Amino acid sequence: MNRTLTENKMTYIAPVNQETNHWIIELLREEVKPAAGCTEPVAVALAAAKVSEVLNNSMSELVIGVSPNIYKNGFAVMLPGVMEAGLDLAAALGSARASAVRGLDVLNHLSEEEIRIARQRLAEGKIRIELIDTEEKVMIQAEQWSEDRAHHARVIISGRHDRIVEVFRDGVCLEKMEEKNSVTEKSNAGFNRFYSMKLKDLVTVIDEIDPEPLAFLLDGIAMNQTMAEVGMASPVGLGTAFALKQRYSKNGQMKDLARLAMTMTAGASDARMAGVDLPVMSSNGSGNNGITAIMPLVAYFELKGTDRADQIRALALSHLINSYIKAEIGRLSALCSCGIAAATGASAAIAWLDTRDPEIVESTMTNMMANLSGMVCDGAKLGCALKLATAASTAVETAALAVDGIRVPAGNGLVGRTIEETISNLGRLSRQGMQLADAVVLDIQETFARG
């Protein structure tokens, strides 16, 4: 759940109490989930799986409409199990699986038969991808007709990659997510209190929170490290991490935190963007966000020997700051949220581990956003490994600079008088200043596709 915070953030001070802790735990459970494959094509596959499930996998035609941001991010990324790109292929694989219960893991461990059916449906021209004229960042509409054309189903995903809001069969509503009911209103109010917190309050919460209810965050270490090891062991994808490890291992530089962080982070992205059939732990709807929020910390834990409780708290802080910033810039954005939000979360968590000082945590975040605010998102692809490597190494060095007293002063570019104001300014840049960027990137992609 993301929202624009600017009007509330300057005035709300959240009490550190049991209720605050409860909603932070609930938010992390909602936003930190396993995902197999890049979440934009996976969301397309999920919509296709659901609509096919409704028709018992009977299909003569499947039409998937996607928002421009879904199209942009799903254009060039490889899919797990097949190591090929294409939103039409993602839709075909989802329709062949015809089961949505896995959520964002819908493409995990596809069978040979499912892949065969998907390729056959593509070859027969049964699947079509269309652009939706919408300002919604995450929007997918799937329509399917049964083999005899006697039945029709429609599924809509909106707001979140796994948020199915409507399911229809033959004009009858089978499922509908109500925007307002007592449960959702209570959840929204709880989450909104988090998104209106002062950053200093958030650090205080992390200092005091019971780590055990958040122990599931440790699963992200195992998942993302496994993916990273694939990328470091062989030149998969762009081969960034394999090359970095070959270079740095020769002279012992892999024991340097910045180099280890960038290599491990790039490794996970190399393997994931290449379509390696393994899940990663996502953050705020993005697997690459999850990689960037987690892997610099994994490098830190490996070199520093951090205890279990502090590992959990640091992971929580990284994920929470990623969500906090993306609430302003958007779940999908023309800005690279891996560099601007997730890496800022990782950097803040490293500063917290080193100092426990909220001022230094804020200095770290300020420096990160001042540094990487110009990183543009031009879609998910093999080249993301380079951006993630840059973001990870910058996260480590920026935390160290903040400890040394370096902080970009207010009035320098986007930097405001407070950290909350800086995040708000970054949101304005994303929402207002980058309005044309996505359209230009989309046009570039479509021009390339036409040859």
Side-chain angles (χ1 to χ4, degrees):
M1 181 214 157
N2 283 24
R3 58 185 288 273
T4 299
L5 316 165
T6 309
E7 64 274 12
N8 293 330
K9 193 172 286 182
M10 301 304 173
T11 58
Y12 184 79
I13 300 177
V16 180
N17 56 30
Q18 189 173 357
E19 186 180 10
T20 303
N21 289 357
H22 167 77
W23 288 115
I24 281 178
I25 292 167
E26 288 302 305
L27 179 71
L28 286 166
R29 288 191 180 279
E30 184 168 325
E31 295 290 8
V32 183
K33 298 177 180 178
C38 177
T39 43
E40 279 70 51
V42 165
V44 168
L46 178 60
K50 184 65 177 180
V51 78
S52 189
E53 178 184 300
V54 171
L55 293 182
N56 299 313
N57 208 4
S58 174
M59 187 185 76
S60 63
E61 183 182 5
L62 171 63
V63 179
I64 304 275
V66 297
S67 61
N69 281 78
I70 293 289
Y71 185 93
K72 179 189 75 170
N73 276 18
F75 179 82
V77 68
M78 303 295 184
L79 301 171
V82 293
M83 292 190 170
E84 297 174 30
L87 287 176
D88 55 350
L89 179 56
L93 292 168
S95 75
R97 171 144 279 181
S99 173
V101 68
R102 292 171 177 256
L104 294 179
D105 258 350
V106 68
L107 295 184
N108 198 14
H109 301 316
L110 292 159
S111 69
E112 290 298 321
E113 178 63 10
E114 287 168 335
I115 294 172
R116 184 196 68 77
I117 292 171
R119 292 193 185 283
Q120 181 178 337
R121 289 176 176 179
L122 274 180
E124 292 173 352
K126 292 183 175 180
I127 296 170
R128 187 168 76 251
I129 303 295
E130 298 179 344
L131 268 174
I132 303 172
D133 184 13
T134 178
E135 294 184 1
E136 289 285 336
K137 301 298 184 182
V138 180
M139 172 66 75
I140 302 167
Q141 298 177 359
E143 288 193 86
Q144 183 165 313
W145 289 262
S146 63
E147 192 169 1
D148 60 4
R149 306 289 293 191
H151 300 285
H152 168 267
R154 177 165 60 93
V155 168
I156 296 177
I157 289 176
S158 178
R160 294 165 49 90
H161 295 76
D162 59 351
R163 186 172 179 264
I164 298 173
V165 297
E166 287 185 358
V167 179
F168 283 84
R169 177 187 167 99
D170 297 333
V172 177
C173 182
L174 304 181
E175 299 176 29
K176 187 176 182 64
M177 180 177 285
E178 297 295 338
E179 290 296 327
K180 290 187 178 182
N181 59 49
S182 60
V183 175
T184 58
E185 285 184 350
K186 185 175 180 181
S187 295
N188 289 345
F191 294 157
N192 289 348
R193 282 196 291 273
F194 162 74
Y195 285 121
S196 298
M197 290 176 71
K198 299 283 189 179
L199 262 298
K200 285 187 175 68
D201 292 332
L202 178 55
V203 174
T204 301
V205 170
I206 293 300
D207 285 336
E208 298 180 4
I209 200 167
D210 178 4
E212 289 312 310
L214 296 172
F216 72 93
L217 297 177
L218 295 174
D219 295 341
I221 295 178
M223 286 183 192
N224 293 10
Q225 191 164 14
T226 298
M227 187 71 88
E229 287 168 356
V230 173
M232 292 190 292
S234 61
V236 66
L238 196 62
T240 312
F242 182 75
L244 290 173
K245 187 175 182 182
Q246 295 293 106
R247 177 182 300 172
Y248 295 146
S249 294
K250 292 176 182 177
N251 51 18
Q253 289 182 317
M254 286 293 282
K255 293 183 179 179
D256 174 81
L257 180 55
R259 288 183 170 88
L260 180 61
M262 72 184 297
T263 304
M264 294 176 76
T265 305
S269 181
D270 274 328
R272 181 170 180 266
M273 294 293 96
V276 170
D277 192 13
L278 290 169
V280 298
M281 189 67 86
S282 69
S283 184
N284 200 255
S286 166
N288 272 359
N289 274 197
I291 288 170
T292 315
I294 293 170
M295 292 314 298
L297 298 181
V298 175
Y300 185 100
F301 302 155
E302 184 173 313
L303 295 181
K304 305 282 189 176
T306 310
D307 68 38
R308 182 175 182 277
D310 278 351
Q311 287 186 20
I312 294 170
R313 291 188 177 105
L315 288 166
L317 182 60
S318 185
H319 287 299
L320 288 168
I321 287 176
N322 181 45
S323 291
Y324 193 94
I325 294 173
K326 287 183 71 176
E328 281 286 0
I329 68 173
R331 186 170 287 265
L332 292 179
S333 168
L335 300 176
C336 176
S337 62
C338 293
I340 293 165
T344 299
S347 189
I350 289 171
W352 176 82
L353 285 164
D354 279 340
T355 69
R356 301 299 200 272
D357 187 333
E359 289 293 339
I360 292 178
V361 171
E362 288 194 359
S363 294
T364 301
M365 293 178 63
T366 299
N367 294 344
M368 284 292 290
M369 288 182 283
N371 188 354
L372 298 182
S373 58
M375 189 179 280
V376 174
C377 175
D378 53 348
K381 60 207 172 299
L382 299 181
C384 285
L386 289 172
K387 290 185 179 182
L388 268 62
T390 297
S393 61
T394 303
V396 172
E397 298 294 352
T398 298
L401 287 169
V403 172
D404 290 338
I406 304 299
R407 178 168 179 163
V408 178
N412 278 234
L414 298 174
V415 179
R417 294 177 179 83
T418 65
I419 187 65
E420 292 82 15
E421 189 176 315
T422 300
I423 295 171
S424 177
N425 291 342
L426 192 64
R428 286 185 60 196
L429 173 66
S430 177
R431 296 189 309 274
Q432 300 173 26
M434 303 293 288
Q435 283 184 343
L436 292 178
D438 277 332
V440 172
V441 170
L442 193 63
D443 184 64
I444 291 169
Q445 290 175 327
E446 290 183 318
T447 300
F448 179 83
R450 290 193 299 268

